[in-house]
Amino acid sequence: MIYPATETYIQRAAQAIKQGNVVAFPTETVYGLGANALNAEAVAKIFEIKQRPYFDPLIVHVDSRDMVQEVVATLPDIALRCMEAFWPGPLTLVLPKSTIIPEIVTAGLDTVAVRMPQHQVAQKLIQASGVPIAAPSANPFGYLSPTTANHVASQLGDKVEIILDGGQCPVGVESTIIKIEKDSITLLRHGGIPVEDIEAVAGKISVIRHTQVEAPGQLPYHYAPKTKIVLINDISKIPDDSSCGAILYQKRDLSFKNIHVMYLSDNGDLRQAAANLFTCLHALDAMRLSVIYAEAIPEVGLGQAIMDRLNKAQARHS
Ligand code: TXA
Ligand code: MG
């Protein structure tokens, strides 16, 4: 059930977490499906509900520096600089794990992904639970990530007892994930903090080696609606057909009469585009169209995270 994220329901959700149950909650990026990260059985419920393969590790959400120190084995200088600059916020750090994190959380890896969310409801939930919360996005594995409580309810409503409603997620794409080893940083997933911003603080980032699936969010297809997605550069090639949908980068005068058009932004603002991405995809996917055309957008800053999601959505049907 969906409950408003008031103090009362946050407390109730925290109680559920302490008892080893799973709850859905808002973060600034997307909604998460959370359980006590220190309780292997509770975490197993997340995998069951999401139908997520056990080789795909989870992000551990913390609310304080002390809690970070409990879940990681070491905090290199680069990590401290990134935390200082971007936490709380949409940046996930992959670091050597401490022994209190069960294997199921990290899929047997000796590293753990950690992030301190900025969303007030997420922070309060972790605080009230008193434990780090392991949480993937609250969607069935491989499907579009949820950016509203209704998205969660329509996909997983019968499997999750408490869905805290904190409105629409302001960032709208998942966190950027980087792996930190001694003095080197590797990008594992584009996301809510542009790579350029991290490099300005922490130095050069090497991009993932594509031969190696380090973050299964990096599988060739993911984040996919049920409807076929076709990326398109020249929107004059889009057919004006009522069985089709189109997601366009920004508002403009068009002669389309029949096709269902949604806009990611008013004037090409990438933040606004990221925030609207999954909402537009969910809305058009629910219409059971034959194709959704998605206009390619500039691959700079947050545009990289958006294009990563659109490319993976397209890959599912090609
Ligand atoms: O914004 C977000 O990050 C959201 C919100 C809920 O915090 N969470 C999220 O979780 O996107 P999820 O499970 O959908 O994606 C987490 C990604 C996966 O691709 C997983 O493979 C990767 O993080 N990951 C987790 N632990 C890892 C580790 N130790 N090494 C490498 N990749 C890891
Ligand atoms: Mg996900």
Side-chain angles (χ1 to χ4, degrees):
M1 275 247 321
I2 297 180
Y3 298 96
T6 56
E7 295 296 333
T8 310
Y9 287 109
I10 292 173
Q11 288 299 332
R12 206 185 276 187
Q15 206 55 39
I17 297 268
K18 287 189 219 170
Q19 287 165 355
N21 291 319
V22 172
V23 305
F25 64 98
T27 81
E28 70 278 20
T29 57
V30 300
Y31 275 71
L33 192 62
N36 178 354
L38 308 180
N39 177 340
E41 272 178 47
V43 172
K45 292 181 188 167
I46 296 176
F47 284 88
E48 231 168 86
I49 293 171
K50 267 191 75 112
Q51 298 278 300
R52 180 179 176 113
Y54 284 98
F55 61 71
D56 195 358
L58 305 182
I59 296 174
V60 173
H61 297 71
V62 297
D63 73 335
S64 66
R65 180 69 75 90
D66 286 348
M67 209 181 253
V68 183
Q69 249 140 5
E70 282 168 29
V71 303
V72 304
T74 57
L75 267 179
D77 222 41
I78 300 184
L80 290 169
R81 282 214 297 276
C82 290
M83 287 158 58
E84 187 65 36
F86 303 110
W87 277 10
L91 177 68
T92 295
L93 306 176
V94 173
L95 291 163
K97 82 188 250 315
S98 78
T99 50
I100 66 166
I101 296 294
E103 299 264 297
I104 186 170
V105 172
T106 62
L109 298 173
D110 52 13
T111 54
V112 62
V114 205
R115 140 170 147 78
M116 189 186 290
Q118 189 167 40
H119 201 290
Q120 286 300 306
V121 175
Q123 286 188 7
K124 285 183 185 164
L125 179 65
I126 303 166
Q127 239 156 45
S129 307
V131 290
I133 295 184
S137 48
N139 52 280
F141 185 68
Y143 190 64
L144 297 172
S145 297
T147 49
T148 66
N150 276 323
H151 292 160
V152 181
S154 67
Q155 298 299 319
L156 301 175
D158 53 337
K159 303 194 180 83
V160 187
E161 265 170 50
I162 301 179
I163 301 169
L164 288 177
D165 188 349
Q168 170 134 6
C169 301
V171 174
V173 290
E174 296 84 347
S175 59
T176 303
I177 306 179
I178 56 175
K179 183 172 183 178
I180 298 180
E181 289 157 299
K182 294 201 184 82
D183 327 308
S184 76
I185 312 180
T186 311
L187 177 74
L188 300 185
R189 177 175 76 185
H190 282 292
I193 304 275
V195 174
E196 298 91 323
D197 294 8
I198 305 170
E199 287 190 321
V201 167
K204 187 78 194 137
I205 295 180
S206 46
V207 176
I208 38 154
R209 296 142 280 187
H210 276 285
T211 47
Q212 214 176 319
V213 178
E214 284 226 39
Q218 300 299 337
L219 288 169
Y221 60 86
H222 211 81
Y223 312 113
K226 293 174 181 130
T227 316
K228 181 183 166 95
I229 293 281
V230 174
L231 267 164
I232 199 151
N233 285 305
D234 177 359
I235 63 169
S236 71
K237 301 228 164 75
I238 297 176
D240 187 19
D241 183 328
S242 64
S243 76
C244 299
I247 294 181
L248 305 184
Y249 178 33
Q250 55 186 303
K251 292 215 170 111
R252 67 200 93 168
D253 289 327
L254 294 167
S255 55
F256 292 133
K257 290 197 177 58
N258 303 309
I259 189 169
H260 306 274
V261 178
M262 295 193 79
Y263 297 99
L264 291 180
S265 70
D266 297 320
N267 303 307
D269 179 317
L270 285 167
R271 265 178 207 247
Q272 197 186 12
N276 288 327
L277 176 68
F278 283 119
T279 309
C280 289
L281 284 163
H282 274 284
L284 290 174
D285 199 29
M287 297 176 73
R288 298 170 191 281
L289 302 165
S290 57
V291 185
I292 299 168
Y293 293 92
E295 181 182 9
I297 68 169
E299 290 196 57
V300 291
L302 282 176
Q304 297 176 90
I306 298 171
M307 282 301 283
D308 169 67
R309 307 309 186 265
L310 288 173
N311 275 311
K312 292 202 173 105
Q314 171 175 253
R316 172 174 226 156
H317 294 274
S318 56

